[in-house]
Amino acid sequence: MNKYIPYTDEQITRANNTDIPAMLQSIGHTVKREGANWRWVSGHDSLMIKGNTWYRNSVQIGGGGTVNFCKQYLNMNFKEAMAFLLYGEQGRGFPQAVVEQKPERRFELPAANKNMRRVFAYLTKERCIDPKIVSHFVHAKAIYEDAKYHNVIFVGHDENGVARFACKRGTASYAASGFKRDVAGSEKRYGFSHAGKSGKLYVFEAPIDLLAYISLHKQNWQQDSYLALGGVSDRSLLHFLEQHSNVSSVYLCLDNDRAGLEAIQRIGQALRENGYIVTAHVSHYKDWNQQLQETCRMRDQHIQKPEQTLRL
């Protein structure tokens, strides 16, 4: 009988954070850069990968965590994946391959526009975000309009109020889903957020959904905490919890699709094991901004589709 090897939380996190394109290249696979992502050319060529997350366009299914990737696409079980990614449990971590190594770019926020008329109109008119909510985050220096392209910039700050992360969202064509990209040099452990004094933290995939949720639940919202992950990775969530010991209850408000629901189960289990009260709070629609927009459209008819809440 094979001896069971108990893994620490640190080991599991380290294995799950292994860069997938680098790992694939190191074992002989071909990956090709496409924008901010990588395509697995010698495997599932519809699979787009970024860091330790992926999305398979052919079946419209995504996921996160390198251990899960090894189980799903490299035919490994959990123990095999952990031993592989931790280099035979030597405590050294998986040797990362060199994939188009470039000099690390210094983080620098895009220049701000003299006004933010276009961004304000985009958020309040097209996205239906409450103007007072937008104004709060503008005054907190967490939202602004860039001067060159008039994108909306969502900013994440560190514990000292210094900007460490930013993502861009195009405002030119909402119908085409718009342009989305992180600012070069961003530190992913700092997400777009608001820190309140209560023990409640609401977690979202995107800043737009965070703002939409607050717009739907405005009463005393500032007393609670809110965080956008920028996807389904829990990296910024773990850091936020480390820095805010007052949080005891986490509401996972991720997208109502397969990737979001799987992330709710994965993240929820890890949080429960660490003593947090976890609730899945899911929109009736695909995401919270879609629910907000539908709510605005149906307001005259006094119709409201229910939200879905489940204690995990």
Side-chain angles (χ1 to χ4, degrees), residues 205-226:
E205 291 188 32
I208 288 284
D209 292 312
L210 183 158
L211 298 172
Y213 184 90
I214 296 175
S215 298
L216 288 164
H217 306 85
K218 290 182 285 190
Q219 186 173 5
N220 300 321
W221 72 268
Q222 292 187 45
Q223 68 185 8
D224 300 324
S225 297
Y226 304 82

Side-chain angles (χ1 to χ4, degrees), residues 77 115 124 228 258 276:
N77 60 34
N115 62 68
T124 60
R258 182 166 180 174
Y276 292 95

Side-chain angles (χ1 to χ4, degrees), residues 260-300:
L261 296 175
E262 286 182 351
I264 285 174
Q265 294 300 321
R266 170 174 52 84
I267 296 172
Q269 180 179 349
L271 292 175
R272 291 198 316 275
E273 290 173 355
N274 283 277
Y276 292 95
I277 299 170
V278 182
T279 302
H281 197 20
V282 183
S283 165
H284 181 84
Y285 299 92
K286 189 266 182 185
D287 58 42
W288 286 102
N289 188 241
Q290 186 177 353
Q291 175 149 330
L292 174 62
Q293 293 184 64
E294 293 298 326
T295 300
C296 292
R297 292 190 185 100
M298 296 187 295
R299 189 171 292 153
D300 292 341

